[in-house]
Amino acid sequence: LPAVLEPRLGGPDIVADNARAARAVAADLHPLDYVLDPETFDAAAAEEVLRLAAAGEQHDLVVRAALGLISAAASHHRYQEVVEASRRALLVVDHPQLHATLGCGLAEQGRLAEARTQFEIALARLDELDDASRARTLADIAMQENLIDPVAARTHRTTALALAEQVGDRAVQSYCKRQEAGWLFDDPVRADQLYAEAVELVRDLPDGTLRLTLARLERVMATLSPQTAEDALSELDEILEFCLARRLDLMLVATQTRRSAALRMLGRWADAVSAAEEGRRTAQRVGWPRGEVDAAASASVARLDLSRATPGGDDAELATALRTAEQALALAEQIGWPVLR
């Protein structure tokens, strides 16, 4: 809120004044609670809505403003911001969606016990939400449950997809299809079909470029093989440029890790080591343990390949490979990701 207007919020009914101001600012931020284009989202204005709504006891606006900030932060994989925004809003209003977003942020940081508690609270109170909000909440929880409880994740993802189809939420439909495809290890044809459907669902959405790139990355990850490695590397290089331009650090980690795998399949072992180590350094810098485990494991395998490819072997490279593998295992144990172990 412009400072010049602050004195007008000092009347006898300060709560009502703040409520009116919150609604006025929020009116220019549509949609407020579900950000489709984080590049055009006015985070400063959303913060102001959150502050005014809390002072004006407008709990619905508190939730919507917080979800907007959380959605924008999650789009850029800034999970500490997700945790902080969720906690701040929960101090004002106890809402199931905020428990779910808090759980998602905690899970991405490897704090699984805390995340489970938040998910249980959210799931027990789903009947407080409308169909669209239930779909988004279940899809977000399912994404995190994939590595914790795959059976529950599948159930929640199926429900989320059905709800999203009912309300016409194409972004959530695409999200659910991408998740499902990512776990069809034994059916690459069906996985590829689901990725194609996910791409079409978001192609003309306001943030289509970001969602399309995510779908492309996940599709490459799922279909990468020695036969597709050359084309995959070319596509991954394009995605890498996109990540660098948009400063999408966590997506950059995933891209470098998959580039390492493609380079290994092409026999470019030194380049594979470099790509994986770059991804690992980025994961360490931004504090993303799950990405660090993945990148470290890829670096270890690439170093083993490089050692084998060296005439007579390379004992130093082999020792580094084994040490890196041990570090990846230790970190996976530390953050409690059973599938990563």
Side-chain angles (χ1 to χ4, degrees):
L1 193 69
V4 69
L5 298 183
E6 289 287 357
R8 300 188 64 179
L9 297 180
D13 194 348
I14 187 67
V15 173
D17 288 344
N18 276 294
R20 282 194 296 273
R23 289 194 295 270
V25 178
D28 290 329
L29 294 175
H30 179 76
L32 174 61
D33 54 343
Y34 189 42
V35 179
L36 287 175
D37 187 357
E39 295 301 307
T40 61
F41 179 64
D42 192 339
E47 287 279 6
E48 195 64 16
V49 172
L50 181 57
R51 182 181 72 83
L52 291 167
E57 299 178 0
Q58 299 293 293
H59 291 169
D60 63 323
L61 276 182
V62 169
V63 174
R64 290 176 57 207
L67 290 176
L69 291 166
I70 290 163
S71 180
S75 295
H76 288 287
H77 309 287
R78 297 196 295 262
Y79 295 111
Q80 185 55 37
E81 292 181 30
V82 170
V83 170
E84 291 170 357
S86 299
R87 289 196 190 282
R88 275 193 295 142
L90 280 167
L91 291 174
V92 180
V93 54
D94 186 18
H95 194 276
Q97 278 184 282
L98 296 174
H99 284 289
T101 58
L102 176 56
C104 290
L106 292 168
E108 287 290 350
Q109 295 178 327
R111 299 159 65 179
L112 294 192
E114 296 171 79
R116 281 177 186 268
T117 299
Q118 298 301 321
F119 291 154
E120 288 169 2
I121 295 171
L123 291 169
R125 296 172 54 189
L126 283 177
D127 58 354
E128 298 176 26
L129 305 176
D130 58 30
D131 287 347
S133 298
R134 268 204 303 275
R136 297 169 192 167
T137 301
L138 284 168
D140 285 338
I141 291 176
M143 180 64 179
Q144 300 302 329
E145 285 180 323
N146 281 322
L147 291 177
I148 303 172
D149 186 346
V151 175
R154 181 74 180 274
T155 299
H156 293 146
R157 184 166 56 247
T158 301
T159 303
L161 179 58
L163 288 169
E165 289 173 343
Q166 287 176 23
V167 300
D169 192 327
R170 287 184 291 152
V172 173
Q173 291 177 54
S174 176
Y175 186 28
C176 292
K177 287 177 181 288
R178 282 166 36 211
Q179 285 189 48
E180 182 70 15
W183 289 88
L184 290 176
F185 303 117
D186 57 347
D187 192 349
V189 174
R190 175 58 178 157
D192 198 52
Q193 178 186 349
L194 285 171
Y195 278 124
E197 293 173 4
V199 166
E200 290 307 314
L201 281 164
V202 298
R203 188 177 294 281
D204 60 349
L205 290 183
D207 64 341
T209 302
L210 177 58
R211 293 186 189 275
L212 280 171
T213 305
L214 276 168
R216 286 174 61 199
L217 173 59
E218 291 173 4
R219 193 174 192 177
V220 169
M221 290 163 59
T223 60
L224 182 61
S225 70
Q227 292 73 36
T228 64
E230 192 74 53
D231 290 340
L233 182 61
S234 178
E235 188 160 13
L236 287 166
D237 286 342
E238 291 180 14
I239 294 171
L240 180 66
E241 292 301 317
F242 176 82
C243 294
L244 290 169
R246 296 281 289 266
R247 300 175 65 183
L248 300 171
D249 289 330
L250 273 68
M251 195 169 164
L252 180 64
V253 174
T255 303
Q256 288 286 39
T257 302
R258 295 315 179 270
R259 286 186 71 251
S260 177
L263 288 162
R264 278 176 33 232
M265 292 176 184
L266 295 171
R268 295 168 56 182
W269 297 293
D271 290 338
V273 170
S274 296
E277 290 293 358
E278 180 62 32
R280 186 183 182 192
R281 285 191 294 272
T282 302
Q284 290 171 335
R285 176 173 57 79
V286 301
W288 188 34
R290 181 151 61 93
E292 184 182 347
V293 170
D294 199 7
S298 293
S300 174
V301 175
R303 289 186 183 280
L304 283 172
D305 288 341
L306 183 58
S307 174
R308 293 193 190 101
T310 303
D314 186 332
D315 290 342
E317 197 69 64
L318 177 60
T320 302
L322 294 175
R323 185 167 61 251
T324 302
E326 290 169 354
Q327 292 168 347
L329 178 61
L331 183 57
E333 294 282 356
Q334 176 186 329
I335 64 177
W337 288 107
V339 174
L340 294 183
R341 287 201 297 271

